[in-house]
């Protein structure tokens, strides 16, 4: 779809999944390995999975857990909670502050996890019963996928690697 032909990335999924205490969706892992760090169409970014730094998937999950004691933080995500066997795991974001989460459940197949997303930290959360790859595809190509679509703003699909 994007014409991307970069070198495949090696990711230590075992460590990430051990720390989260759950497996991650296979399509997400495939996308991360094929594309690495970067953004689709200069817009949709996958959180880095090749580190545990503060901006990585693990770093953002850890920070969210630490801030969860704050009632104002919890209120921003109602009716959801941060992942601890079930709940939200942030996996991606946009350059315009949209956030993309899985509604994860360690007792269910990660391939069945819905996506929960919002366009702005103060906006409402939307639930989508689609895979990670379908969600990304719809954001990039489906003009009717409101309010998340960038299809009308993107002339051609591409992937921009970081670093």
């Amino acid at each position: 779809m994007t014409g991307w032909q970069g070198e495949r990335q090696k990711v230590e999924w075992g460590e990430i999944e051990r720390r989260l205490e759950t497996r991650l969706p296979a399509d997400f892992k495939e996308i991360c390995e094929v594309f690495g760090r970067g953004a689709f169409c200069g817009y949709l970014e996958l959180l880095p999975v090749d580190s545990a730094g503060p901006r990585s998937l693990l770093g953002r999950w850890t920070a969210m857990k630490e801030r969860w004691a704050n009632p104002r933080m919890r209120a921003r995500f109602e009716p959801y909670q941060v992942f601890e066997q079930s709940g939200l795991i942030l996996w991606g974001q946009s350059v315009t502050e949209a956030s993309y989460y899985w509604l994860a459940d360690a007792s269910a197949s990660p391939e069945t996890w819905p996506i929960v997303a919002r366009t702005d930290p103060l906006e409402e959360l939307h639930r989508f019963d689609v895979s990670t790859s379908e969600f990304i595809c719809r954001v990039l190509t489906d003009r009717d996928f409101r309010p998340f679509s960038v299809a009308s703003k993107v002339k051609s699909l591409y992937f921009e690697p970081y670093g």
Side-chain angles (χ1 to χ4, degrees):
M1 206 167 87
T2 64
W4 178 249
Q5 295 189 7
E7 189 174 318
R8 191 171 184 95
Q9 308 295 308
K10 176 80 171 121
V11 178
E12 295 298 328
W13 295 111
E15 176 61 17
I16 295 168
E17 293 173 331
R18 184 192 64 74
R19 293 206 28 214
L20 288 169
E21 296 183 12
T22 191
R23 293 175 298 124
L24 295 174
D27 66 334
F28 174 77
K29 294 194 281 191
E30 178 77 11
I31 292 165
C32 290
E33 290 174 2
V34 168
F35 291 97
R37 287 187 182 202
F40 291 95
C41 300
Y43 176 76
L44 191 153
E45 305 171 318
L46 301 177
L47 293 184
V49 294
D50 56 353
S51 76
R55 296 190 44 82
S56 71
L57 187 145
L58 283 175
R60 298 289 294 270
W61 171 70
T62 300
M64 194 172 173
K65 279 185 7 178
E66 290 169 356
R67 292 191 314 260
W68 204 250
N70 181 328
R72 288 175 41 192
M73 171 74 164
R74 287 194 313 272
R76 288 181 35 213
F77 290 92
E78 287 180 350
Y80 306 109
Q81 62 186 20
V82 68
F83 178 79
E84 291 192 86
Q85 296 305 303
S86 68
L88 299 175
I89 300 173
L90 181 69
W91 58 266
Q93 59 194 14
S94 78
V95 297
T96 59
E97 296 190 11
S99 301
Y100 313 119
Y101 303 85
W102 292 297
L103 182 52
D105 182 343
S107 67
S109 167
E111 278 58 54
T112 66
W113 294 350
I115 303 293
V116 174
R118 66 168 141 213
T119 56
D120 177 278
L122 301 176
E123 294 294 325
E124 69 181 280
L125 291 159
H126 301 265
R127 178 183 165 144
F128 301 94
D129 291 314
V130 299
S131 67
T132 308
S133 54
E134 182 178 344
F135 183 85
I136 292 169
C137 185
R138 291 188 67 192
V139 167
L140 300 177
T141 65
D142 184 348
R143 291 175 186 262
D144 296 325
F145 194 57
R146 294 190 176 97
F148 298 97
S149 177
V150 295
S152 64
K153 300 172 186 161
V154 175
K155 292 181 182 171
S156 63
L157 300 179
Y158 65 94
F159 180 77
E160 181 180 353
Y162 293 164

